Structure formats: C-alpha cells, structure tokens
Amino acid sequence: MKNSSTDIKAKKQSRLPWKRKDDTLGAILFLSPTLVIFITFILFPVIFSFYLSFHEWNMFSNEATFVGLENYKRMFDSQEFWSVLKNTAVFTFGTVPLNMIVALLVAMALNKHIKGKKFLRTAFFAPVIISPVAAAVIWRWIYDPNYGLLNYGISFFGIDSINWLNDETAAMFALIIMGVWKTFGINMVLFSAGLQGIPETYYEAADIDGAGKWDKFWKITLPMLAPTTFFIMIMSMISSFQVFDLVYVLTSGGPLGSTKVFVFFVYEYAFKYFEMGYASAAAYILFIVLIALTMLQVRYMKNRVHGAF
C-alpha cells in the first residue's frame, strides 16, 4: 500500500509542465460558466456598488459625480435612516425568537409517533414555498378590518375590530405574524433533523434516573440541539434583516413608514428616486451591520455551543 502511494506521488512529480498547464486550462474551462455568472452577477455588482457609494449617479447619466463620504454623512444625519434601522430591528427581534420557538415546538410534536405526521410536516412547510404575492392575498383577507378572520376571532374575547394594516402599531405586529408563518417551516425541518440525531439512549438513561419531561428537555434536548439552534439563529437573523418581499406586497412600508425596513429603504432610493449612490451606501451599511451582529453572536456563543466550531 505504501509502495503504491509512493508510485502515484512519483508519477505526479514526473509529469511534464505542459501537461500540468493543460490540466489547469481544462479545470478553468469546466468552471468558466460558473465563474462568468459569479463575476457578472455577484463580484461586479459588489465592487461597482462600493464605487457608487462614494458617487452621485441617477442611472441615466453617463458620468457619476464623486462626493466622497457625503452619502454616508447624509444617511447618518437622516431621521428616516434611524427610523428604518429601528423598524428592521423590531421586525428581526420580533420574528426570530418567535419563529424559533414555534418551529421547535412543532418539530418536537411531529417527532413523536402520531398519525398523519408526513401530511402535517408538508402542511407546515407549505408557506415557505408559497409566493409572497399569494401569501399577501391570504393575509390581507385575514387582516381585513371588516370581514377578516383575525378580527372575527378576537371579537369572541370582547376586543374591538383592529385595522391591522393601516394602524402604525398594529401594522408591524401584523408583519411579524406573517413573517413567522411564512418562514418557520424551514426551521421546523432543521430542528426535526436535529432531534432525529439525538440518540435514544440518552433519554432511556434519563428515564432510569427518574428524570421528568422538563428535565430531559433542558438537560438533553436543548444542549444537543445547540449547534442546530445556533445555525438557525444566525440564518434567521440575516434573512430578517434582508426582508423585502413581504413588506413590499403587504404594506409597502406604510402606514407612515412604520413598516419600512432596510432593504425596502434601499429599493426605494435605488429604483424609485434613482439615487444609486445613496442606495449603495445604505446597502453597505446593512452589510456592516450584519457582519457586526454575526461576529457578535459567534463571539458570544463560541464557548457555549459545543460541536458548532
């Protein structure tokens, strides 16, 4: 075995330089479709938007005017920017914990031996693949102030009808509920995979020691799910900061900007007001915020999540 390995290594070393160049060229040719797509749709826009963030450009002019850090300064002086940042933070910290709790509870319920498990799992996952427009039609009917299902339900508790999508406070709450409904299915699948990876012997040993359900949940299930939970938390936070489609089709940032989030803010300045430089600067601020929050979570959780690093 050792001789065979030595022979292969010797053959590789004895290959002619021109042959190695042919292998490199062949590899580049095979990778070229992916490289072209990556450079055209990812690398170039990233570099060009960074360039634009220091310029003023309206998409129709042939030249961009250099303004230095003026776009960033204007943004930090803008009250709208801080309002949008606050709305995005409220949506994220309202959606992520609720999403994870619901996903974990549903995953644990479906991890038991119950009838119709496959159907229920499919039904809970269905909102993930429903288009945002179709989801918005459903939820506009649920939130309708006159004949909506939600107002009909709360009327049994003596609560007056709420104009969910046109009230400044209720609109964000409505958006969070829809966001949780739309995305918890994918986290449910991830938690289900994590639960199935926990050895049954741990629970059997806990039964022998007389541990209750609560003890088993806190001392076995949650610690063993820590890497999955950490992954879900990071990905959910990033996707919540990048939410756009739900806001666009349900509230369009209203009423009075109470549901205007960061990506919708970037979209408005880029394709509604055609201020590409300002929108690019906002996009890079979002990138920096996401990097900072992710690094903060990694730093905080590094010594608390075993097996994730």
Side-chain angles (χ1 to χ4, degrees), residues 6-308:
T6 306
D7 291 344
I8 292 171
K9 190 175 179 180
K11 284 180 181 177
K12 285 183 177 178
Q13 289 176 345
S14 65
R15 295 179 76 176
L16 297 172
W18 63 268
K19 184 64 178 172
R20 289 200 293 271
K21 286 182 181 177
D22 283 352
D23 291 344
T24 304
L25 183 61
I28 292 172
L29 285 175
F30 275 113
L31 290 171
S32 58
T34 304
L35 286 174
V36 169
I37 293 172
F38 174 77
I39 291 170
T40 306
F41 295 105
I42 296 178
L43 187 60
F44 174 73
V46 166
I47 296 172
F48 188 58
S49 61
F50 184 70
Y51 165 82
L52 281 181
S53 70
F54 301 103
H55 292 74
E56 191 176 295
W57 187 52
N58 64 4
M59 290 181 70
F60 304 107
S61 173
N62 291 328
E63 293 183 2
T65 306
F66 180 75
V67 294
L69 295 173
E70 185 58 33
N71 286 327
Y72 292 95
K73 183 176 180 298
R74 176 187 161 197
M75 194 181 312
F76 290 127
D77 291 339
S78 165
Q79 190 177 354
E80 183 185 17
F81 166 74
W82 295 108
S83 173
V84 164
L85 193 61
K86 187 196 78 174
N87 290 342
T88 309
V90 169
F91 178 80
T92 298
F93 293 110
T95 304
V96 174
L98 188 60
N99 188 318
M100 292 177 68
I101 291 170
V102 173
L104 178 59
L105 292 177
V106 173
M108 290 180 66
L110 296 181
N111 198 43
K112 300 181 184 302
H113 298 290
I114 59 174
K115 288 184 179 179
K117 183 194 297 186
K118 291 182 179 178
F119 170 78
L120 289 172
R121 195 168 281 167
T122 305
F124 285 124
F125 187 77
V128 176
I129 56 174
I130 291 178
S131 78
V133 176
V137 171
I138 295 170
W139 282 91
R140 276 187 176 279
W141 175 73
I142 293 174
Y143 288 141
D144 190 279
N146 298 315
Y147 51 86
L149 188 63
L150 191 55
N151 277 339
Y152 179 73
I154 63 176
S155 67
F156 289 104
F157 300 97
I159 302 174
D160 293 334
S161 176
I162 299 172
N163 196 344
W164 293 97
L165 300 180
N166 292 310
D167 181 90
E168 286 185 53
T169 306
M172 179 56 79
F173 182 74
L175 196 64
I176 289 172
I177 295 297
M178 182 184 171
V180 171
W181 171 83
K182 184 79 176 65
T183 57
F184 90 92
I186 188 69
N187 292 340
M188 175 203 69
V189 172
L190 293 171
F191 273 129
S192 295
L195 286 169
Q196 289 172 13
I198 301 175
E200 281 295 324
T201 51
Y202 291 0
Y203 294 107
E204 291 170 0
D207 288 334
I208 293 171
D209 290 340
K213 290 183 179 179
W214 194 245
D215 290 328
K216 285 190 281 188
F217 175 74
W218 277 108
K219 296 178 180 177
I220 298 175
T221 305
L222 275 187
M224 294 298 290
L225 279 178
T228 307
T229 307
F230 179 70
F231 173 76
I232 290 174
M233 185 171 64
I234 294 280
M235 298 308 294
S236 298
M237 190 204 67
I238 292 173
S239 62
S240 294
F241 261 86
Q242 294 178 331
V243 65
F244 170 75
D245 48 4
L246 299 183
V247 176
Y248 182 78
V249 297
L250 194 66
T251 64
S252 294
L256 300 176
S258 59
T259 58
K260 186 184 287 187
V261 291
F262 217 110
V263 176
F264 191 82
F265 173 75
V266 173
Y267 161 79
E268 273 197 330
Y269 276 92
F271 302 107
K272 191 173 178 182
Y273 309 134
F274 300 108
E275 295 189 36
M276 298 303 292
Y278 190 68
S280 298
Y284 268 90
I285 292 296
L286 175 61
F287 171 73
I288 292 169
V289 169
L290 285 176
I291 286 288
L293 287 176
T294 304
M295 294 301 294
L296 192 67
Q297 289 181 81
V298 170
R299 187 181 179 86
Y300 179 75
M301 300 296 289
K302 189 171 184 178
N303 297 323
R304 293 174 173 79
V305 181
H306 301 289

